[in-house]
């Protein structure tokens, strides 16, 4: 009996083992509290069963014990069946839940452990977030957030809120597996019971978000556009309620959109109730046709003009308001201006008319009526050539057409085709056509014609004077040149004080005559514009040495001190013309200074170079400071004492100053002295060429060739050169010079030639032929000097092209010696 009763307990052991296996499976983790109670009861029954079996095996008991065991087995079997049924129901529920979760591909559903690590991951989460379940299980939920949110501790904050609030919902950005952004609606629920943690449900709203942003952007841009227009806009619905107004309208009515929205037109603006504006608005609303009006509003001390348009819209009516106060004021001002212009045009002494683009008269003033002898009423609206047939093809009409075509103002003087007199017409194109002012200038033209004839006569005389001076220059200089040379030659041969005295006076007279001729010819050359400066870097030291050597003896002879203060600088100037300016200023100082001193100074100032000539002479009265630059004007010389010069020195300085752009400033105090300052641009300092003026007048047997077609000048040059110790070959032409050199058999050291020789020959050609006789590539060409009475620029250009020096007749022996020194002393 005991064994038979104990058999049913064996299946119980099998079921117990099966139960243990099922407990080891992962799905037992989801049992409910009821399952846990059944299991505990089952364990108690099993323990009791085991105890009873042990007792039965050691001792025989009665029938009651067996019945007890059998009852316990039955209880155990019943409990186990209930457990199995519960497990099956739970598994079925879990399968159905899994099916639901797997089918919810539109939502990402995941569970989190309390520490934020993911414990489940549905297919919707794979589709939305990109990670597979294997990749995310056990990972922190932080990987689903943008790095900056994760770093800020946002995931932890969400879990804390969910625990505190029980359920939270919000929208925010998430991160896809590929790094792209996702916008989602998130719901978080805390889990209760044994399986604590969180349930996350995420709905992807990226597309909706983009659509919402696009719609918001369109609305924003539309609002920006409406706010940027110049017109004020108020939109009304079909019940006349305000639904929108732009910023310009808000500025105009000084009411905000929230304060107006929903209010009817006459509620928002009571002054419009029953007005013509309300009537127009209602007309547009009912007839669906645009209406417009210009309305004036008068306030306290202000006037406002509005252009108001009502346009039908899908919602109702759009009311557009434009402030046209400025336009209205401009129209009123234009009207007033037009009335003023008409008054002016009617009162001016000039005749005036206006035509449109079709050449029809639009306005004619009273003066034009008088000039034409026609009433304006008969002319207005007619074309010019219809009213005046002779105007067609005339110079006056063609000029007007040109002005209109080119759009530029013109002033012309023409013979009127209608009245036959000379007219001056000023033509002004404008947007409407042309405005023309004209006046009769017949008398003025006659006066101009007379002046023109007088001017032509004067210019012809001036031209004749210039031609005379140019032609006479050479002929005047030649005999004077010979006289100057022979006076110097005669000095050693005149005996006695009376003869020396006479020779001295003769020399002074010739010097004065040479100075007069030089000044007159220089003035003519400057006025004729034939002097072309040769701008270069000119060192001041040699120039000042030359000035000092030339004028110290003259100053000493008058008992004056001459102080020269040079500077180690250079100027951008013409060496010869600047020297002439300084010489003229020094000679002027010597002429008007009887006692004291003369200072010649060079200094830098203000980025420029300044040359000052200062004296202690008679000074210049203030009313003469401008007149001193005029020809022949002299201060304190009413008797025209020729010992004080001709009054041309400062006039030449002024012309050279303008030619070289070297301003000259003068300051003077009568009785105390005068200061002249020349301002020059700074140049680059250059090495001053060594000069040999003294050595040049000591020939030391040098061989000089002199070519001149004037026998007297040639004789004078030969004499002076021989006096200086030169061997000289003189010739009247280039051919004679070449023949003489062939016989001499010696290479010249120097060639001096007149520029214009007989039979159309030139001194530069003579120098070229002589140089060709001794052409040696290894040596420098023979130095040459052109001695000429020409005043034009051709001679200077020709001499420079052949590398020759030039000196203008008449020349004193001292000047000739200086020119030779510069020529022979050059490297």
């Amino acid at each position: 009996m005991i064994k038979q009763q104990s058999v049913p307990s064996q299946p119980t052991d099998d079921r117990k083992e099966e139960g243990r296996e099922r407990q080891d499976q992962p799905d037992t983790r989801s049992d409910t509290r009821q399952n846990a109670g059944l299991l505990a009861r089952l364990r108690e029954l099993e323990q009791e069963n085991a105890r009873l079996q042990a007792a039965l095996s050691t001792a025989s008991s009665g029938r009651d014990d067996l019945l007890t065991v059998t009852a316990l087995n039955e209880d155990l079997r019943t409990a186990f069946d209930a457990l199995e049924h519960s497990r099956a129901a739970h598994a079925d529920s879990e399968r159905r839940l899994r099916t639901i979760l797997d089918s919810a591909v539109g939502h990402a559903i995941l569970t989190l452990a309390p520490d934020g690590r993911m414990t489940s991951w549905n297919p919707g989460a794979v589709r939305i977030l990109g990670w597979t379940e294997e990749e995310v299980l056990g990972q922190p939920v932080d990987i689903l957030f943008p790095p900056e949110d994760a770093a800020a501790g946002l995931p932890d904050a969400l879990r804390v809120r969910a625990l505190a609030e029980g359920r939270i919902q919000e929208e925010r950005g998430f991160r896809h597996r590929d790094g792209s952004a996702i916008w989602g609606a998130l719901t978080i629920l805390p889990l209760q019971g044994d399986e604590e943690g969180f349930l996350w449900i995420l709905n992807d709203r990226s597309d909706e978000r983009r659509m919402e942003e696009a719609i918001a952007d369109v609305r924003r841009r539309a609002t920006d556009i409406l706010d940027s227009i110049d017109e004020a806009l108020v939109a009304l619905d079909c019940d006349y309620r305000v639904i929108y107004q732009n910023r310009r309208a808000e500025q105009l009515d000084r009411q905000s959109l929230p304060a107006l929205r929903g209010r009817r037109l006459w509620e928002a603006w009571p002054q419009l109730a029953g007005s013509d504006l309300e009537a127009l608005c209602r007309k547009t609303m009912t007839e669906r046709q645009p209406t417009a009006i210009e309305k004036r509003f008068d306030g306290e001390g202000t006037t406002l003009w509005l252009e108001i348009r009502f346009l039908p819209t899908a919602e109702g009516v759009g009311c557009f308001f434009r402030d046209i106060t400025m336009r209205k004021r401009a129209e009123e001002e234009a009207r007033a201006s037009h009335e003023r212009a008409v008054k002016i045009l009617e009162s001016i002494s000039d005749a005036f008319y206006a035509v449109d683009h079709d050449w029809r008269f639009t306005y004619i003033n009273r003066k034009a009526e008088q000039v034409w002898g026609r009433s304006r009423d008969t002319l207005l609206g007619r074309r010019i050539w219809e009213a005046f047939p002779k105007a067609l093809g005339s110079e006056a009409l063609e000029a007007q057409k040109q002005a209109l075509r080119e759009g530029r103002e013109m002033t012309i003087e023409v013979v009127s085709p209608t009245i036959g007199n000379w007219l001056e017409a000023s033509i002004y194109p404008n947007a409407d056509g042309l405005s023309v002012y004209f006046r009769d200038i017949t008398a003025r033209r006659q006066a101009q014609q007379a002046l023109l004839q007088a001017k032509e006569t004067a210019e012809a005389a001036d031209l004749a004077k210039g031609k005379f001076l140019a032609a006479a220059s050479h002929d005047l200089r030649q005999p004077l040149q010979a006289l100057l040379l022979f006076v110097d030659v005669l000095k050693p041969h005149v005996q006695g004080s009376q003869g020396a005295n006479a020779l001295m006076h003769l020399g002074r007279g010739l010097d004065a005559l040479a100075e007069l001729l030089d000044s007159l010819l220089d003035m003519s050359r400057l006025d004729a514009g034939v002097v072309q400066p040769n701008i270069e870097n000119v060192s001041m030291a040699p120039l000042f040495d030359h000035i000092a050597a030339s004028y110290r003896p003259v100053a000493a002879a008058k008992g004056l001190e001459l102080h020269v203060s040079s500077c180690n600088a250079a100027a951008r100037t013409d060496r010869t013309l600047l020297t002439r300016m300084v010489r003229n200023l020094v000679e002027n100082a010597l002429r008007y200074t009887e006692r004291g001193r003369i200072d010649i100074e060079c200094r830098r100032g203000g980025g420029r170079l300044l040359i000052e000539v200062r004296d202690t002479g008679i000074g210049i009265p203030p009313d003469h400071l401008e007149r001193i630059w005029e020809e022949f004007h002299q201060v304190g010389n009413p008797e025209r004492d020729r010992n004080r010069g001709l009054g041309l020195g400062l006039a030449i300085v002024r012309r050279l100053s303008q030619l070289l752009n070297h301003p000259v400033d003068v300051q003077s105090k009568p009785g105390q002295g005068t200061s002249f300052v020349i301002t020059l641009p700074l140049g680059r300092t250059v090495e001053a060429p060594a000069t040999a003026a003294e050595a040049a007048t000591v020939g030391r047997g040098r061989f000089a060739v002199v070519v001149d077609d004037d026998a007297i000048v040639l004789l004078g040059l030969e004499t002076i050169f021989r006096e200086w110790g030169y061997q000289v070959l003189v010739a009247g032409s280039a051919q004679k010079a070449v023949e003489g050199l062939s016989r001499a058999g010696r290479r010249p050291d120097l060639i001096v030639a007149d520029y214009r020789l007989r039979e159309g020959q030139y001194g530069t050609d003579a120098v070229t032929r002589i140089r060709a006789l001794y052409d040696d590539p290894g040596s420098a060409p023979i130095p040459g000097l052109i001695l000429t009475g020409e005043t034009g620029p051709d001679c200077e250009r020709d001499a420079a092209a052949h590398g020759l020096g030039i000196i203008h007749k008449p020349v004193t022996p001292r000047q000739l010696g200086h020119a030779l020194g510069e020529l022979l002393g050059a490297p």
Side-chain angles (χ1 to χ4, degrees):
M1 286 293 291
I2 294 176
K3 288 183 180 180
Q4 289 175 352
Q5 293 295 327
S6 64
V7 172
S9 65
Q10 186 63 40
T12 301
D13 295 336
D14 294 336
R15 291 176 182 175
K16 183 173 65 173
E17 290 301 321
E18 183 181 352
R20 289 195 185 98
E21 291 174 359
R22 290 183 179 180
Q23 287 178 358
D24 294 335
Q25 292 176 0
D27 59 358
T28 59
R29 292 177 298 180
S30 61
D31 289 346
T32 63
R33 290 182 178 180
Q34 181 181 3
N35 291 338
L38 292 174
L39 289 173
R41 178 61 179 164
L42 181 61
R43 282 194 295 271
E44 290 175 0
L45 292 173
E46 287 177 346
Q47 290 174 359
E48 182 65 20
N49 186 40
R51 184 180 61 77
L52 290 173
Q53 285 182 350
L56 290 173
S57 63
T58 54
S60 298
S61 60
R63 182 177 177 84
D64 292 336
D65 292 335
L66 182 60
L67 289 175
T68 301
V69 172
T70 301
L72 289 174
N73 284 335
E74 287 299 327
D75 290 342
L76 181 61
R77 186 177 296 110
T78 301
F80 188 81
D81 289 343
L83 177 60
E84 285 299 308
H85 178 74
S86 175
R87 283 179 177 174
H90 182 75
D92 183 61
S93 175
E94 191 174 67
R95 280 193 300 271
R96 280 184 287 141
L97 178 60
R98 172 57 63 180
T99 301
I100 292 172
L101 294 178
D102 290 346
S103 63
V105 294
H107 293 73
I109 302 174
L110 55 149
T111 58
L112 273 66
D115 63 355
R117 296 187 178 275
M118 291 176 281
T119 57
S120 68
W121 186 262
N122 78 328
V126 177
R127 184 186 68 82
I128 294 172
L129 296 169
W131 281 280
T132 65
E133 187 174 11
E134 292 77 7
E135 290 175 321
V136 299
L137 290 181
Q139 294 291 328
V141 76
D142 298 29
I143 66 173
L144 306 183
F145 288 82
E148 59 272 14
D149 288 349
L154 180 62
D156 293 339
L158 290 175
R159 294 198 300 274
V160 171
R161 280 183 53 204
L163 289 173
E165 299 175 14
R167 174 190 179 94
I168 60 172
Q169 287 182 308
E170 62 177 48
E171 293 189 8
R172 65 173 53 258
F174 294 90
R175 186 172 71 91
H176 192 273
R177 184 179 185 275
D178 61 9
S180 60
I182 298 172
W183 185 261
L186 176 64
T187 300
I188 303 178
L189 295 169
L191 296 177
Q192 304 297 327
D194 294 339
E195 295 297 327
E196 293 183 351
F198 301 91
L199 174 66
W200 283 32
I201 303 173
L202 176 65
N203 180 25
D204 185 2
R205 293 197 66 252
S206 299
D207 293 338
E208 292 90 334
R209 171 80 171 186
R210 284 190 288 269
M211 185 65 69
E212 290 169 356
E213 290 177 347
I215 293 172
D217 184 59
V218 169
R219 288 177 178 170
R220 184 168 51 254
R221 282 185 288 169
T223 301
D224 290 343
I225 292 171
L226 292 175
D227 283 342
S228 66
I229 63 176
D230 186 50
E231 288 183 297
L233 167 63
V234 176
L236 306 175
D237 63 13
C238 58
D239 199 25
Y240 299 97
R241 296 183 184 276
V242 176
I243 57 177
Y244 176 76
Q245 76 166 356
N246 67 353
R247 185 179 295 114
R248 181 67 180 128
E250 187 173 309
Q251 294 171 352
L252 198 61
D253 60 32
R254 301 182 183 278
Q255 298 186 72
S256 65
L257 179 58
L260 292 176
R261 186 179 281 119
R263 299 172 65 186
R264 287 186 171 88
L265 178 67
W266 46 87
E267 294 172 347
W269 296 280
Q271 67 271 26
L272 299 183
S275 68
D276 52 353
L277 291 179
E278 181 188 354
L280 286 176
C281 184
R282 290 182 179 275
K283 181 178 180 181
T284 299
M285 184 74 78
T286 56
E287 298 180 7
R288 313 307 292 166
Q289 293 295 325
T291 57
I293 190 175
E294 291 184 357
K295 190 76 173 175
R296 173 174 174 163
F297 298 89
D298 293 317
E300 295 181 2
T302 61
T303 297
L304 178 67
W305 276 92
L306 293 179
E307 178 189 59
I308 305 170
R309 294 180 296 121
F310 297 101
L311 301 177
T313 65
E315 293 84 3
V317 171
C319 308
F320 292 86
F321 302 82
R322 182 190 296 273
D323 186 348
I324 58 172
T325 306
M326 296 300 294
R327 193 192 78 192
K328 283 294 185 179
R329 289 177 182 170
E331 290 174 356
E332 292 174 359
E333 291 176 0
R335 256 192 316 272
S337 177
H338 176 72
E339 292 173 359
R340 289 194 300 270
V342 169
K343 289 180 181 179
I344 293 171
L345 291 174
E346 290 300 319
S347 63
I348 62 175
S349 59
D350 285 350
F352 172 82
Y353 66 88
V355 295
D356 60 18
H357 289 282
D358 200 27
W359 298 98
R360 298 183 185 275
F361 287 110
T362 58
Y363 182 80
I364 298 170
N365 74 346
R366 186 178 296 110
K367 183 64 176 179
E369 283 184 308
Q370 296 172 0
V371 172
W372 287 333
R374 302 273 295 273
S375 170
R376 69 181 98 182
D377 295 334
T378 64
L379 300 174
L380 291 173
R382 301 177 64 186
R383 291 186 175 91
I384 291 179
W385 51 86
E386 292 174 350
F388 302 103
K390 291 182 180 179
L392 196 61
S394 67
E395 182 182 354
L397 185 58
E398 292 303 315
Q400 294 177 62
K401 289 181 178 180
Q402 180 183 356
L404 187 60
R405 183 172 59 252
E406 297 178 0
R408 64 183 180 92
E409 302 173 3
M410 294 179 62
T411 298
I412 59 170
E413 293 183 2
V414 294
V415 176
S416 170
T418 58
I419 61 176
N421 290 351
W422 276 94
L423 299 178
E424 179 187 72
S426 298
I427 308 166
Y428 299 93
N430 55 59
D432 299 321
L434 283 179
S435 298
V436 182
Y437 298 81
F438 64 95
R439 67 183 66 176
D440 191 327
I441 59 167
T442 304
R444 193 182 78 188
R445 288 285 298 192
Q446 292 172 348
Q448 286 178 344
Q449 189 65 29
L451 288 174
L452 181 61
Q453 291 176 353
K455 179 174 177 292
E456 289 176 350
T457 302
E459 288 177 348
D462 189 60
L463 181 62
K465 180 194 75 172
K467 289 182 178 179
F468 169 76
L469 288 174
S473 174
H474 184 272
D475 296 335
L476 288 171
R477 291 174 187 270
Q478 289 293 82
L480 183 58
Q481 180 64 74
L483 288 172
L484 289 170
L485 293 175
F486 279 117
V487 165
D488 201 75
V489 171
L490 283 175
K491 286 180 181 178
H493 305 286
V494 175
Q495 302 295 328
S497 60
Q498 187 174 358
N501 226 7
L503 191 61
M504 179 189 69
H505 288 299
L506 175 61
R508 288 182 177 177
L510 290 174
D511 286 343
L513 181 59
E515 180 183 356
L516 171 62
L517 185 59
D518 275 347
S519 298
L520 288 173
L521 293 175
D522 282 347
M523 290 291 294
S524 69
R525 294 173 69 226
L526 289 169
D527 288 342
V530 299
V531 178
Q532 298 297 323
N534 177 30
I535 303 300
E536 58 181 339
N537 291 306
V538 178
S539 295
M540 292 296 102
L543 186 149
F544 273 63
D545 291 344
H546 170 68
I547 294 294
S550 299
Y551 291 104
R552 271 206 178 98
V554 182
K558 290 191 68 173
L560 301 173
E561 298 180 24
L562 180 65
H563 294 268
V564 179
S565 301
S566 183
C567 58
N568 186 24
R572 293 288 297 167
T573 185
D574 181 293
R575 185 189 309 273
T576 302
L577 300 182
L578 177 63
T579 302
R580 185 61 184 271
M581 289 179 70
V582 178
R583 289 173 65 93
N584 282 13
L585 292 176
V586 174
E587 289 172 2
N588 184 77
L590 288 167
R591 192 171 292 124
Y592 290 99
T593 304
E594 298 299 330
R595 63 181 62 85
R597 58 186 287 168
I598 296 172
D599 292 280
I600 309 170
E601 181 182 357
C602 169
R603 65 180 184 273
R604 300 172 188 262
R608 311 279 282 179
L609 190 64
L610 306 178
I611 296 178
E612 182 177 8
V613 179
R614 188 170 57 250
D615 64 56
T616 58
I618 63 174
I620 305 171
D623 58 337
H624 284 255
L625 283 175
E626 283 301 320
R627 297 181 59 197
I628 60 173
W629 307 109
E630 300 173 2
E631 297 88 342
F632 307 109
H633 180 79
Q634 292 178 304
V635 177
N637 189 18
E639 299 85 5
R640 305 296 297 165
D641 182 2
R642 292 301 170 220
N643 290 327
R644 294 194 176 184
L646 301 170
L648 293 176
L650 294 182
I652 293 174
V653 169
R654 167 59 63 89
R655 283 167 170 77
L656 291 175
S657 166
Q658 296 169 345
L659 179 66
L660 297 172
N661 192 23
H662 295 347
V664 181
D665 179 61
V666 58
Q667 294 182 355
S668 181
K669 291 183 179 180
Q672 298 185 28
T674 303
S675 167
F676 290 91
V677 178
I678 306 173
T679 303
L680 306 94
L682 280 168
R684 180 173 52 84
T685 304
V686 294
E687 292 292 333
T691 60
E694 295 80 4
T697 57
V698 181
R700 295 192 181 91
R702 291 191 185 97
F703 182 28
V705 177
V706 181
V707 183
D708 198 307
D709 59 356
D710 188 298
I712 299 177
V713 173
L714 192 62
L715 179 58
L717 288 171
E718 179 184 17
T719 304
I720 197 68
F721 271 95
R722 290 192 186 280
E723 289 288 334
W724 286 346
Y726 282 87
Q727 292 185 16
V728 186
L729 171 64
V730 295
S733 66
Q735 182 61 33
K736 294 291 186 181
V738 170
E739 293 174 357
L741 286 170
S742 299
R743 292 190 298 271
R746 180 180 175 184
R747 185 180 190 273
D749 299 299
L750 174 68
I751 306 170
V752 177
D754 188 15
Y755 181 67
R756 194 175 297 277
L757 303 173
R758 292 178 183 175
E759 298 179 354
Q761 296 183 359
Y762 295 94
T764 51
D765 299 330
V767 174
T768 301
R769 290 187 63 182
I770 294 171
R771 284 175 171 176
L773 295 176
Y774 307 96
D775 186 17
D776 184 1
S779 61
I782 301 171
L785 181 68
I786 296 297
L787 182 63
T788 181
E790 296 287 328
T791 59
D794 295 339
C795 174
E796 295 183 8
R797 284 196 293 264
D798 196 8
H802 289 81
L804 303 173
I806 187 169
I807 187 170
H808 292 279
K809 299 176 182 178
V811 59
T812 64
R814 179 176 56 82
Q815 293 171 331
L816 178 60
H818 180 73
L820 291 176
E822 289 187 341
L823 184 68
L824 297 175

